[in-house]
Amino acid sequence: MYALYVPLILCLLLAYLAWKYLNGCFKYWQKLNVQYVKPVPFFGNSFQIFTSQVTIGELLGNLYKQFDAAFFGMYMLHKPVLVIRDPELIKKVLVKDFHHFHDRSVLYDEQCDAIASNMLFFSKSPEWKLIRYKVTPLFTTGKLKNMMDLCKEVANDMVSYLRSYDTTNCIDAKELGGRYATDAINSCTFGIKTNSFKSDKVSFYPMCKEILEFDWKTGFSQVAYFIAHGLVKTFKLRFFDYQTSNLLRKVFWDTLNERERTKIVRHDLIDAMIGFKNSPNLTESFQFEGDRILSIAVQVFTAGFETIGSTVSFALYELSIQRDIQEKLRSEINSTFLQYGSFDYLVIKHMRYLHMVVQETLRKYPILPFLERKCAKTYSIPEKNLIIDAGTPIYIPLLGLHYDPKYFKNPDNFDPERFADKKVDKTFYLPFGDGPRGCIGARFSLMAVKVALLYILREFEVKPSPSRTPTKIRFSPYSVFLSPSTGIYLKFKANRVVD
């Protein structure tokens, strides 16, 4: 009879020991006299994330509103995390004292996922600096001017696609933005025409959509790379599943091998990858070959796809509701065309209201809604009476900062006029991050988004559908990015084009 109770006693003992251990972990911020969010057993403050109720960015934004201090503590599972609210402290972490915070806290583990771990976003010191140095020349002003012509070709395809639709039907702006992003990125960086606005039988878009389609399984794995490293290592979770990884390898290497065979030089990402392949040793300990080369291409594609596609769809959504803003932007587009006769890189760069609309879109909808770093060595903030231990993750909640009425009056309103002052304070407006590890492709993404919007609005009036357009956009809980959980259905009515 006693033997029957042994397993139960052991389970209770293990549960007690686990509770005791976690309860000790949850004393960390209390011992440092730092305000913190009260944790729950086992999950800390991440229960809503793991149950797919909110994204990481939304959780941090909600917690931001509960405090008024410069920073506060929380727990991702049992791990203490410092969340920073103060703009000056944010600037120190991202820029001034970057040498203390040069790495991100997201997991790097080639044994679990070689492709994801070697993306620039995941890379650790010193490799990230070497890779960034090699990739930066791809986004110079001269290269961007050439890329803009390619974006304009894709925008013309998009306009033709819209013209072919019955104006009484709705079009999913999320899918429209995704198709545009697919063609623009592949044309500009890989030199291939992917025909996303033609039949899906000959289009690359369905495959791209499959690669970046988030469900509960991929969502769980990707969240774990940020906040549950032990789970990733124990169960060998992949950021990209096997099917996606193999698909990415095939597309990339087929394209690279064909470029080598034809010896065509375009001075784009593929040419740079060929250079890496032929001289792979960045350092004696870092061999730049295989999946490490592929990872750079995957970084450019995935980051660009989400940033360009989602920003275009969010902007069209807001402009469909704010008709006066849409008309003001269309007026700028038409007057600019009448003055210059075309849209080139410098012309678009000086379209002030277009830039303000894009800035406001990224304020309301920062595609990566939080920034994160890891403290590399003990860091003291004497004026705040705080010492940050080495290894502590640092989170910066953009959905808190971008919606704080101290910095943006009536933050829920879509109001491009708040950016009428050309100088934007980067201490609390951070859609592309800041400092040495800010987004390397920010200028390309902004240019591509602007081209899409001006080509659409020059020819079409965008309207909401009373029955299908959401009154408020909900975000997918399965993505670390800010991505709509459903389609954004809008109507596109042909306009009289100003010649």
Side-chain angles (χ1 to χ4, degrees):
M1 186 71 178
Y2 173 75
L4 295 176
Y5 289 101
V6 171
L8 178 61
I9 293 170
L10 287 174
C11 287
L12 290 173
L13 179 61
L14 288 172
Y16 171 76
L17 292 173
W19 175 84
K20 192 75 175 175
Y21 168 74
L22 291 173
N23 194 48
C25 292
F26 292 154
K27 298 291 185 182
Y28 182 84
W29 293 121
Q30 184 179 345
K31 290 177 181 177
L32 291 178
N33 198 29
V34 171
Q35 296 182 54
Y36 65 97
V37 186
K38 185 177 179 181
V40 299
F42 301 103
F43 288 95
N45 304 117
S46 58
F47 179 78
Q48 289 181 300
I49 297 172
F50 281 106
T51 53
S52 300
Q53 297 179 52
V54 295
T55 64
I56 297 177
E58 288 177 295
L59 175 67
L60 293 172
N62 293 337
L63 295 178
Y64 177 99
K65 298 172 186 176
Q66 298 179 20
F67 294 87
D68 195 38
F71 49 81
F72 62 90
M74 65 177 296
Y75 298 90
M76 291 296 190
L77 297 180
H78 66 281
K79 182 73 175 177
V81 173
L82 185 68
V83 183
I84 300 178
R85 299 177 77 261
D86 178 60
E88 286 305 314
L89 189 51
I90 290 170
K91 191 171 184 178
K92 287 182 178 180
V93 169
L94 297 181
V95 184
K96 291 182 178 178
D97 295 325
F98 175 76
H99 58 286
H100 280 271
F101 306 95
H102 47 71
D103 283 338
R104 292 189 169 95
S105 63
V106 66
L107 178 65
Y108 173 98
D109 192 325
E110 289 188 280
Q111 299 301 313
C112 294
D113 193 324
I115 294 177
S117 293
N118 284 291
M119 289 166 62
L120 183 58
F121 183 88
F122 292 77
S123 297
K124 308 302 181 185
S125 294
E127 287 80 14
W128 75 265
K129 190 179 294 186
L130 298 168
I131 296 169
R132 190 179 177 101
Y133 173 77
K134 290 284 189 178
V135 176
T136 296
L138 297 172
F139 298 103
T140 61
T141 299
K143 294 279 176 55
L144 289 175
K145 289 179 179 179
N146 293 332
M147 290 178 183
M148 183 168 173
D149 290 334
L150 298 173
C151 286
K152 286 160 68 175
E153 290 178 14
V154 175
N156 276 320
D157 290 342
M158 177 173 59
V159 168
S160 297
Y161 174 82
L162 289 171
R163 285 183 192 140
S164 68
Y165 261 82
D166 184 342
T167 56
T168 60
N169 293 331
C170 291
I171 296 176
D172 183 2
K174 177 182 176 182
E175 182 165 304
L176 184 74
R179 289 179 184 272
Y180 172 78
T182 298
D183 282 3
I185 295 165
N186 281 306
S187 180
C188 292
T189 59
F190 304 125
I192 55 177
K193 193 170 178 66
T194 45
N195 301 310
S196 294
F197 290 107
K198 296 183 179 179
S199 169
D200 281 348
K201 292 181 180 179
V202 297
S203 169
F204 189 70
Y205 175 69
M207 184 168 64
C208 296
K209 188 177 179 181
E210 182 180 337
I211 290 172
L212 294 170
E213 191 72 34
F214 300 105
D215 56 23
W216 72 268
K217 185 179 179 181
T218 56
F220 179 87
S221 295
Q222 291 181 9
V223 163
Y225 269 77
F226 284 89
I227 65 176
H229 298 178
L231 286 176
V232 175
K233 293 180 178 181
T234 300
F235 298 102
K236 299 297 180 185
L237 300 178
R238 300 176 64 86
F239 198 84
F240 298 110
D241 63 32
Y242 279 106
Q243 183 179 354
T244 296
S245 297
N246 291 334
L247 190 59
L248 289 167
R249 286 190 183 96
K250 182 180 186 309
V251 171
F252 173 75
W253 288 112
D254 284 354
T255 302
L256 188 143
N257 291 333
E258 177 64 15
R259 184 72 67 83
E260 282 192 307
R261 185 186 69 80
T262 59
K263 300 189 184 305
I264 294 173
V265 177
R266 287 172 50 101
H267 304 290
D268 57 9
L269 183 63
I270 292 296
D271 285 342
M273 297 298 101
I274 292 171
F276 291 153
K277 178 171 172 280
N278 294 332
S279 54
N281 300 340
L282 289 182
T283 67
E284 290 183 3
S285 61
F286 189 78
Q287 307 295 310
F288 205 57
E289 56 192 10
D291 281 343
R292 286 178 172 171
I293 299 177
L294 169 62
S295 296
I296 303 303
V298 174
Q299 165 88 38
V300 171
F301 179 76
T302 54
F305 183 90
E306 285 296 333
T307 302
I308 297 169
S310 293
T311 303
V312 168
S313 63
F314 288 137
L316 291 173
Y317 169 77
E318 290 289 350
L319 292 170
S320 74
I321 297 170
Q322 305 289 341
R323 302 291 289 280
D324 55 334
I325 296 175
Q326 183 181 159
E327 287 305 318
K328 184 171 181 178
L329 178 53
R330 184 176 292 107
S331 177
E332 181 188 59
I333 292 169
N334 289 336
S335 62
T336 300
F337 187 81
L338 286 172
Q339 182 177 357
Y340 296 100
S342 65
F343 298 106
D344 62 23
Y345 181 81
L346 291 178
V347 169
I348 292 181
K349 187 176 180 181
H350 289 96
M351 294 180 69
R352 185 65 197 147
Y353 197 68
L354 174 61
H355 187 60
M356 290 160 59
V357 167
V358 175
Q359 283 182 300
E360 177 66 348
T361 302
L362 289 167
R363 181 195 67 82
K364 284 197 73 175
Y365 308 101
I367 304 304
L368 185 61
F370 65 98
L371 305 177
E372 45 84 34
R373 296 290 187 269
K374 183 171 69 174
C375 186
K377 48 188 175 181
T378 302
Y379 182 76
S380 176
I381 312 174
E383 66 273 20
K384 303 294 184 182
N385 194 30
L386 175 68
I387 294 177
I388 304 175
D389 290 333
T392 302
I394 309 294
Y395 278 38
I396 299 168
L398 301 194
L399 289 180
L401 292 163
H402 287 193
Y403 281 80
D404 192 328
K406 285 192 299 185
Y407 313 126
F408 301 102
K409 187 178 179 181
N410 300 319
D412 290 325
N413 295 345
F414 185 81
D415 181 14
E417 295 296 337
R418 68 175 86 248
F419 291 100
D421 181 358
K422 291 184 179 181
K423 188 176 181 180
V424 178
D425 194 328
K426 286 188 176 182
T427 57
F428 51 77
Y429 178 74
L430 296 159
F432 293 108
D434 197 11
R437 295 202 74 165
C439 178
I440 195 171
R443 292 202 302 159
F444 167 67
S445 295
L446 287 172
M447 180 267 289
V449 169
K450 290 176 183 180
V451 169
L453 292 178
L454 72 85
Y455 268 70
I456 291 172
L457 295 173
R458 183 165 179 256
E459 297 218 16
F460 297 93
E461 182 180 352
V462 187
K463 296 181 178 182
S465 166
S467 59
R468 302 194 67 184
T469 304
T471 55
K472 183 178 180 180
I473 293 179
R474 306 289 180 185
F475 305 115
S476 170
Y478 306 129
S479 173
V480 293
F481 298 107
L482 216 57
S483 177
S485 59
T486 60
I488 303 175
Y489 289 93
L490 304 172
K491 290 187 174 183
F492 293 78
K493 180 183 176 184
N495 247 343
R496 184 177 65 84
V497 178
V498 175
D499 295 320

